[in-house]
Amino acid sequence: MTVLELRGLEAGYGGVPVVRGVDLDVAAGEVLALLGPNGAGKTTILSTISGLLPKIAGEVQIAGRPTDSRHPFRVARRGVAHVAEDRSIFFGLTVLENLQVVAGLHRRERRAAYDRAFDLFPALRPLVGRPAGLLSGGEQQMLAMARAIITDPQLLLVDEMSLGLAPLIVQEMMPVVRGVADAGAAVVIVEQHGHLALDFADRAAVISNGRVVV
């Protein structure tokens, strides 16, 4: 099943397009890597998919239905989880409180969500009471990833997961991304280190000057 479909997407800032005429499809169970130089438009594409940035033209569909790009919370309710480049965790909240923000309302659902997060990233378990602002960069990225994954998304967007992290930590996290897809979600990952992404991606699209060139 096609989870994400972009057709003729144009997006940018202040009405000025950065991304022009992008057509992409991502199926359930698939990892698509977006590669390209800084400023090519990769982050703009992800932000437009998740509704953080309104599109200028074209179409974004999730599971065959157009998204409401004016309301990011509605896109999230459609099963889209976005791990942003800045990680967007709450520094003043503990690890557990960051997870509580997205965990289910019922105790059984919350417990299952926490268990899943700590199974994916065991290093977070002893840090449950630590403020997120006191975590290392790798631990913060693990928390951001865990918080997204426990929502059980049908589409996971990951922007520059390796940014500022040691290669060993990235190599440990890439299989987690692969596992999300293998469990049935569609995944789009933006990565500056193409060789890392290509080890786990099914397909790649190279973005240059706002267009898909390869």
Side-chain angles (χ1 to χ4, degrees):
M1 181 186 75
T2 299
V3 175
L4 173 66
E5 184 175 355
L6 306 182
R7 289 292 175 263
L9 179 65
E10 288 194 7
Y13 307 88
V16 179
V18 172
V19 171
R20 305 171 186 84
V22 168
D23 296 332
L24 288 173
D25 299 281
V26 189
E30 184 177 39
V31 178
L32 173 69
L34 296 185
L35 310 177
N38 290 336
K42 307 184 298 297
T43 293
T44 300
I45 292 173
L46 293 196
S47 297
T48 306
I49 294 170
S50 64
L52 296 175
L53 184 67
K55 67 186 179 186
I56 295 173
E59 196 166 77
V60 178
Q61 291 195 2
I62 306 296
R65 293 170 48 206
T67 62
D68 185 350
S69 63
R70 296 168 301 171
H71 299 97
F73 70 92
R74 291 180 179 167
V75 180
R77 287 176 180 171
R78 296 276 302 278
V80 178
H82 185 175
V83 181
E85 184 177 1
D86 64 1
R87 299 167 188 154
S88 295
I89 57 176
F90 298 102
F91 290 153
L93 300 183
T94 66
V95 167
L96 186 60
E97 289 166 343
N98 268 273
L99 296 175
Q100 286 173 340
V101 170
V102 300
L105 296 177
H106 301 291
R107 176 177 290 184
R108 184 175 299 175
E109 293 175 351
R110 291 200 304 269
R111 175 52 57 191
Y114 302 153
D115 287 344
R116 186 179 184 192
F118 299 139
D119 286 344
L120 290 171
F121 302 106
L124 293 178
R125 190 181 294 273
L127 304 174
V128 291
R130 183 171 298 179
L134 299 181
L135 301 178
S136 68
E139 291 163 349
Q140 289 180 0
Q141 187 63 281
M142 290 178 191
L143 177 58
M145 290 290 296
R147 194 178 60 179
I149 293 171
I150 64 174
T151 66
D152 197 22
Q154 66 170 332
L155 174 62
L156 175 64
L157 310 174
V158 183
D159 196 356
E160 295 288 10
M161 185 174 66
S162 69
L163 189 65
L165 302 185
L168 183 61
I169 295 176
V170 178
Q171 289 172 4
E172 293 175 353
M173 296 181 70
M174 280 293 184
V176 175
V177 175
R178 179 72 256 176
V180 172
D182 291 343
V187 178
V188 182
I189 182 167
V190 166
E191 182 52 58
Q192 59 181 338
H193 300 298
H195 63 286
L196 294 175
L198 292 175
D199 282 343
F200 295 94
D202 299 288
R203 293 186 295 123
V206 178
I207 312 296
S208 181
N209 294 321
R211 300 182 186 276
V212 177
V213 295
V214 178

